[in-house]
Amino acid sequence: MKSYLLHNYKNRCKNEFDKYGFNWHGNNAYRVVNDVFQSFCLHRSVSGDSCTVEFITVPLCIGQYINKSYCGPNHLKKFENEGSWFEYDKNDDKSMEECVSNMIGYMQRYLIPFFEASTNAYDAYYANLSFQRDHYKDGIFWGDPWLFYLSMKANLYCEAEQHLTAWKCHIIDAYECNKIEFERIGKKLPDSYVSRIRNDLDRIEFWQIMINNADFDYFAKLMSENEIIALQNLGMI
């Protein structure tokens, strides 16, 4: 049975935001603009007394990760540098209506302008940089894989190489931390995990070579193939 909060939320969102071309899949609203995928999704707490709207703007060229339910970890109150969610009384219809109205207000004030400023890979790259710089506790996460894909799609090759290097360092640091923790309890890292890390590093190192060799035709083909996969996942081709 659909909750009153969800019913009210979806009706309000459809009235306010469907004009921007969003489609719905469950709680997730998504759209494709040029070479960018954008989505937002209602996320309710297990306790049922708070919720937020999560969102993401990524390039289609991330490929298989994109589908109709794909969203991200960023949430509305990060626009005001807060970590809290929106609270409501699940037994009070008026309280739930006020909660939805508050979220709609944040979306009108912050989210839709963010989406509208991110309608191609070039603009989305700089919009994401600005968002992370202004609203992430530790500033820009240079090892963010999606920043690499955005920069490469936008033909920002120097920036793409920087993100690859930071991404590689992030993977190695996480691996070393996990290795130390497993050794502390007298265990070895699972072979499947070690293999996945090695494959990830091999791929990044190969991409670094291709960038240093200025083989941008390779990346153009890779990005194009990934975009086809994403559009197929969305049922758009």
Side-chain angles (χ1 to χ4, degrees):
M1 181 177 179
K2 186 180 292 185
S3 74
Y4 182 81
L5 178 87
L6 177 58
H7 177 75
N8 188 270
Y9 165 79
K10 290 188 73 171
N11 282 343
R12 289 289 305 277
C13 283
K14 288 180 178 181
N15 288 336
E16 295 286 344
F17 307 127
D18 277 10
K19 62 188 176 185
Y20 294 100
F22 286 98
N23 302 294
W24 285 85
H25 180 75
N27 294 355
N28 202 56
Y30 67 93
R31 72 174 184 175
V32 171
V33 187
N34 299 312
D35 53 0
V36 169
F37 173 87
Q38 301 174 340
S39 69
F40 63 88
C41 184
L42 178 68
H43 189 161
R44 290 171 289 175
S45 65
V46 175
S47 61
D49 57 10
S50 65
C51 61
T52 191
V53 173
E54 297 173 330
F55 62 92
I56 199 166
T57 296
V58 291
L60 280 174
C61 62
I62 68 174
Q64 63 182 340
Y65 296 97
I66 291 179
N67 56 57
K68 294 179 181 180
S69 61
Y70 183 65
C71 198
N74 291 321
H75 62 91
L76 289 179
K77 286 194 176 180
K78 275 195 172 183
F79 282 110
E80 294 187 347
N81 299 326
E82 289 187 35
S84 63
W85 289 13
F86 299 83
E87 297 182 352
Y88 61 92
D89 182 345
K90 60 186 176 182
N91 298 310
D92 185 335
D93 288 356
K94 184 177 180 181
S95 174
M96 288 186 279
E97 290 171 1
E98 290 176 349
C99 175
V100 169
S101 292
N102 286 336
M103 290 191 295
I104 294 293
Y106 269 73
M107 295 167 77
Q108 291 170 331
R109 191 176 313 122
Y110 300 117
L111 184 57
I112 295 301
F114 176 74
F115 281 159
E116 290 292 276
S118 310
T119 56
N120 59 70
Y122 184 90
D123 291 341
Y125 174 73
Y126 285 106
N128 273 277
L129 277 186
S130 295
F131 181 84
Q132 292 190 14
R133 182 189 63 238
D134 296 341
H135 305 301
Y136 277 24
K137 180 180 178 182
D138 297 320
I140 297 170
F141 175 34
W142 293 100
D144 183 347
W146 302 158
L147 288 178
F148 161 71
Y149 280 97
L150 280 169
S151 58
M152 181 56 69
K153 179 62 180 179
N155 299 325
L156 300 168
Y157 303 122
C158 290
E159 290 85 346
E161 201 282 329
Q162 291 174 343
H163 290 303
L164 274 182
T165 299
W167 185 5
K168 179 180 177 180
C169 290
H170 175 70
I171 290 174
I172 292 173
D173 288 345
Y175 173 83
E176 292 298 332
C177 288
N178 287 330
K179 183 179 179 182
I180 291 171
E181 182 59 24
F182 268 69
E183 290 175 347
R184 186 185 65 82
I185 59 177
K187 293 185 178 181
K188 290 179 59 179
L189 288 168
D191 290 341
S192 59
Y193 171 75
V194 174
S195 178
R196 178 170 62 82
I197 294 299
R198 183 66 263 169
N199 288 338
D200 288 345
L201 292 175
D202 286 346
R203 183 174 67 254
I204 290 173
E205 289 167 1
F206 174 72
W207 285 347
Q208 288 177 313
I209 292 171
M210 300 303 278
I211 290 178
N212 290 331
N213 291 340
D215 192 346
F216 303 128
D217 287 342
Y218 163 80
F219 287 103
K221 183 174 182 292
L222 175 65
M223 301 293 169
S224 178
E225 291 172 348
N226 282 356
E227 287 176 345
I228 291 172
I229 294 171
L231 292 173
Q232 288 174 336
N233 289 349
L234 295 171
M236 299 181 70
I237 58 173

